Amino acid sequence: MRRILTLFFLLQSILVSGQAISTTKPWTYWWWMGSAVKKEDIKAQLEFFRKSGLGGVHIIPIYGVKGYEAQNLPFLGNQWMEMLQFTVREGKKLGLGVDLTTGTGWPFGGPNVSPATAAKAMSVRSGKAVIKPTGQKVKRAAPGGEGLVLDPFHPTAMDTYLSRFDSAFKNVPDLPRSMYNDSYEAYGANWTDDFAEQFRERRKYHLTEMLAMLSDSTGNADANLVKIDYHQTLSELLLERYAKPWTKWSKQHGFLTRYQAHGSPGNLLDLYEAADIPETESFGTSRFAIPGLRVDPDYSIDQFGTPNPLAMKFASSAANISGKKLVSSETGTWLANHFKVSLSQVKPQIDELFTAGINHIFYHGSTYSPQAEPYPGWLFYASTNFGSTSHFSEHFPLLNEYVERCQNLLQNSKPDNDVLVYFPIHDLWATKAKSAGNIHLLEVHHVDRWLLDLPFGKLTQRLWKEGYAFDYVSDLQLSRLTVDKKGMVTSGHASFKIIVIPKSTYMSGETLGHIKRLAAAGAKIVFENQVPATVTGYFDYKKRQEKFREDLNALVKLKSVRVSTDLEKDLATNGVVREELMEKGLTFIRKRAENGKLLYFVANLGNTFKEGWVRIGNSELVSKNDPIRGESLLPANGKQVFLRLLPGQSCFLEGASDGSDVPFTETSEKEHRISGTWELTFMKGKPVIVSPAKMNSLQSWTESSDSAAYFSGTARYKVVFDAPAPIVKNDNVILDLGDVREVASVKLNGQSLGTVWHIPFRLYTGDRLKPKGNVLEIEVTNLSANYMRLRDRQQPDWKKFYDINIVDITYKKFDASRWEPMPSGLLGPVKFVYR
């Protein structure tokens, strides 16, 4: 009987883990504050997520709420597990998946992490190692999850940590889809109990005799080799003792894994690859040159940096090399201050992620909040709020429909990158680290420190800007590559025309041997400007360096190997396509659709392109799939197509099956501005409905009255106008609303034109215009920031959370009462655009 029950629970686990949930829809982080959750509120929020068009949630238990201490549920306790299983079951009913952090807050740690298995720091004093515990505790821990951060290099720390989950999930029938491991933030950890022994076994000499070299900043050749060996050992231990044991345990228990490897001292490509779903992070706001796109002036680039697609590509490259379908991203973290993020700011960040190879969006995020809790409810300390109390919750489905359409194509296509760029991490490891503990942390905030300023970063920036399609490869991944009959380098999941080795100084003898093996089999290898000069490894260096030089000399004599002084020419010679899209100011990713045809996702994240002839790969006929409007053929002229894509817009370009000619007439764009008296009527919102107003020219409604400066909600603009004949008789007239703060729903002569939520704020009018007496009604919904200015003056008691409570984008105590009014409503100019 016991064996039968065990089999039953195993089958249940497999069925739930394999439930038919949507990954094409975006998911959201879902913070459980204090885990003070109730079934009725869980059910209500899951229903909101479903109606909003989400595909799933990711539960992260965190610190609690003052006044709710008695309702807190200890993490992994019986009541907590009951709530988790209820969530999974309710999610399954609604078609929502559930993921779970393997812990609370971040990074991994908790009550069953003893001082013996906790993170340790090594410093050098008088040439000797001084080992101390870092003392770091789990950040933003939930009740029942408090404790020390585990040692990520320890031989048994991960197994000991996971034993707590073994007990909690024993015979649990309703399992989450995936376990999650947040970004590496074990600050100062650089040692473990058997590190000296492991170093000696792997590197063949005693590190204790060379410790002073770890902090060398003179460029001493021996010191550089020792620093490389030290980091190599840390990297191997992190992969073998931290990442892989966690992913193995998860698989054995029926879970997938999502892993944010960034921030760690290891090789990100190998660490990301260890998980089923590699996950990157889009933190902060990019500086896109899209006209009208706002950037929060309080966001500090010096402190946090900006999102960078070249850093994101470490996750997507790992997925492409290893054949993983999904690549996820934490999305929208601190995009702007609380209550100030608009949907129009979210879309370009997501478009950037798509072009970097991400196809499984996770919003950051939503907070569990009781239905009875007064506005704004419970909030996580860091924006953005994608929950039911967000000012854009009514229009949230519009963003999600867009993301779903895009991810449906991106997930059901394969990478089509020509170039494989070797990541020479040893050159980074040879330099003096800026982080605590003399280790290099490859995090997403300051990518200049480990990526952009190095030759590898400069090369990949060039390849990106010049329109080449490429992935990265690590030493370990390169060792598994082979060459097919066509001379393509293949991992078994992705194929490439050429391997490019950036300008570098160091390379391991093993990696050089694998490059030589690939080249001998016909792989095209190009070294940028020079070959590496020095073999890695301090032990027996002179002997191994001689062998390294011999192998290099033999390698460069092979027909398929070239030391390039003209990379563009050498890439072209080997059939690498340079896409003209980037030259035009457009960002793209190129893939292969299920039917084998080329598929491009193209985003206009700048202000240099609006329309023009563009060469799209080698395609002669291309269709344009607009995730907002639909599909149409593009005019073609030989190898070029005529593309219209305004700043802020995006589309898919696909090889078209219809060979018919598409007519094209080159005409200039004409405009007709709408003039008249605008009637402004406040419809719904907080704190009270404001009196109506009239205006002859459009302006922020905050200028209409003192009370309007505090209003957050929806107001209707109405104008009556006559239309000239050229636009009445034209079925392709566009209504351009100009500057909208923030979302606008439009009616023309009583008929809906739709809702605009992103830049540019444009809609097609169809045949709804008439010569006289046209009535245009535009309902605009603004941010909640203006109301929070008043709320924080009158009732700041909503800020009642433990730990960090709630802070602003500068990590200072949150206080909206000092804010200036945010422009709101329809700022215009409103005009018709036609040809």
Side-chain angles (χ1 to χ4, degrees), residues 145-370:
E146 305 93 336
L148 294 169
V149 169
L150 66 80
D151 177 353
F153 313 110
H154 193 279
T156 62
M158 180 60 81
D159 290 338
T160 302
Y161 174 73
L162 292 172
S163 65
R164 186 184 183 204
F165 294 85
D166 282 324
S167 301
F169 282 94
K170 187 177 182 180
N171 296 330
V172 170
D174 301 307
L175 292 175
R177 174 193 73 151
S178 177
M179 283 288 168
Y180 173 78
N181 191 341
D182 209 336
S183 57
Y184 180 97
E185 295 185 32
Y187 298 120
N190 63 357
W191 197 260
T192 195
D193 294 343
D194 67 339
F195 188 87
E197 177 185 341
Q198 287 293 322
F199 187 94
R200 178 171 50 82
E201 182 179 320
R202 296 165 188 257
R203 310 282 88 89
K204 309 302 182 185
Y205 66 97
H206 292 279
L207 177 64
T208 51
E209 300 171 1
M210 307 287 188
L211 287 171
M213 292 187 177
L214 295 180
S215 57
D216 178 82
S217 59
T218 65
N220 176 276
D222 288 344
N224 289 349
L225 293 172
V226 172
K227 284 185 282 188
I228 291 172
D229 286 342
Y230 173 64
H231 277 88
Q232 183 74 52
T233 305
L234 286 174
S235 183
E236 291 171 0
L237 293 178
L238 186 64
L239 180 63
E240 297 166 12
R241 295 178 169 184
Y242 182 78
K244 286 188 173 181
W246 170 70
T247 57
K248 180 180 179 181
W249 175 90
S250 298
K251 184 176 182 179
Q252 290 174 339
H253 288 73
F255 304 113
L256 298 176
T257 49
R258 282 176 38 232
Y259 184 19
Q260 288 193 355
H262 47 268
S264 77
N267 194 317
L268 297 189
L269 293 166
D270 301 328
L271 293 166
Y272 278 131
E273 186 185 317
D276 296 297
I277 307 173
E279 177 162 307
T280 187
E281 179 178 347
S282 180
F283 185 108
T285 174
S286 301
R287 295 311 199 251
F288 300 125
I290 300 171
L293 181 65
R294 300 191 307 279
V295 173
D296 194 316
D298 294 326
Y299 181 80
S300 172
I301 294 179
D302 292 339
Q303 185 176 3
F304 300 117
T306 59
N308 190 288
L310 294 179
M312 299 167 186
K313 281 180 71 67
F314 277 83
S316 60
S317 291
N320 293 343
I321 290 287
S322 56
K324 294 177 172 64
K325 180 178 180 179
L326 301 177
V327 193
S328 57
S329 176
E330 172 186 325
T331 306
T333 309
W334 281 128
L335 186 49
N337 220 329
H338 294 285
F339 311 106
K340 289 187 176 183
V341 178
S342 69
L343 292 177
S344 65
Q345 292 171 299
V346 178
K347 180 182 179 293
Q349 301 296 155
I350 291 177
D351 288 344
E352 180 179 58
L353 285 164
F354 287 160
T355 63
I358 310 307
N359 61 16
H360 191 15
I361 295 296
F362 276 78
Y363 296 126
H364 183 288
S366 304
T367 310
Y368 169 93
S369 185

Side-chain angles (χ1 to χ4, degrees), residues 621 633 656-662:
L621 192 65
L633 286 175
S657 57
D658 184 357
S660 60
D661 292 331
V662 180

Side-chain angles (χ1 to χ4, degrees), residues 307-537:
N308 190 288
L310 294 179
M312 299 167 186
K313 281 180 71 67
F314 277 83
S316 60
S317 291
N320 293 343
I321 290 287
S322 56
K324 294 177 172 64
K325 180 178 180 179
L326 301 177
V327 193
S328 57
S329 176
E330 172 186 325
T331 306
T333 309
W334 281 128
L335 186 49
N337 220 329
H338 294 285
F339 311 106
K340 289 187 176 183
V341 178
S342 69
L343 292 177
S344 65
Q345 292 171 299
V346 178
K347 180 182 179 293
Q349 301 296 155
I350 291 177
D351 288 344
E352 180 179 58
L353 285 164
F354 287 160
T355 63
I358 310 307
N359 61 16
H360 191 15
I361 295 296
F362 276 78
Y363 296 126
H364 183 288
S366 304
T367 310
Y368 169 93
S369 185
Q371 298 175 80
E373 188 71 13
Y375 182 86
W378 295 357
L379 291 180
F380 188 58
Y381 80 93
S383 74
T384 297
N385 176 18
F386 289 90
S388 59
T389 61
S390 171
H391 44 251
F392 54 64
S393 62
E394 178 183 348
H395 304 105
F396 191 28
L398 299 174
L399 170 66
N400 296 330
E401 289 169 7
Y402 168 77
V403 173
E404 182 181 9
R405 292 190 191 107
C406 291
Q407 292 191 157
N408 183 50
L409 290 171
L410 293 170
Q411 289 179 15
N412 292 296
S413 55
K414 295 183 178 181
D416 187 64
N417 296 324
D418 293 330
V419 182
L420 195 56
V421 184
Y422 168 67
F423 178 42
I425 196 170
H426 304 98
D427 276 38
L428 172 68
W429 288 343
T431 62
K432 181 174 173 54
K434 297 180 181 179
S435 303
N438 285 322
I439 57 174
H440 290 280
L441 300 179
L442 281 63
E443 38 88 7
V444 297
H445 301 294
H446 299 287
V447 295
D448 54 314
R449 297 176 181 174
W450 63 272
L451 174 58
L452 301 183
D453 290 345
L454 297 180
F456 169 80
K458 292 177 180 178
L459 171 63
T460 52
Q461 286 178 82
R462 174 187 170 187
L463 293 174
W464 178 264
K465 292 175 181 177
E466 292 184 357
Y468 294 104
F470 59 93
D471 276 323
Y472 309 145
V473 65
S474 71
D475 294 84
L476 185 59
Q477 291 167 336
L478 193 146
S479 71
R480 303 193 298 265
L481 298 177
T482 58
V483 182
D484 66 17
K485 295 179 180 179
K486 297 180 180 179
M488 299 280 283
V489 176
T490 178
S491 68
H493 303 284
S495 298
F496 304 87
K497 295 177 179 177
I498 193 168
I499 297 176
V500 175
I501 314 296
K503 181 180 178 181
S504 54
T505 301
Y506 298 94
M507 180 178 283
S508 73
E510 293 79 8
T511 294
L512 181 61
H514 287 298
I515 293 174
K516 185 179 178 182
R517 169 181 60 82
L518 292 169
K524 308 300 189 295
I525 311 290
V526 170
F527 289 88
E528 182 197 19
N529 296 327
Q530 65 180 48
V531 295
T534 305
V535 69
T536 60

Side-chain angles (χ1 to χ4, degrees), residues 816-832:
S817 67
R818 296 176 292 180
W819 287 352
E820 292 295 319
M822 294 285 291
S824 300
L826 184 62
L827 279 59
V830 178
K831 58 190 177 183
F832 291 109

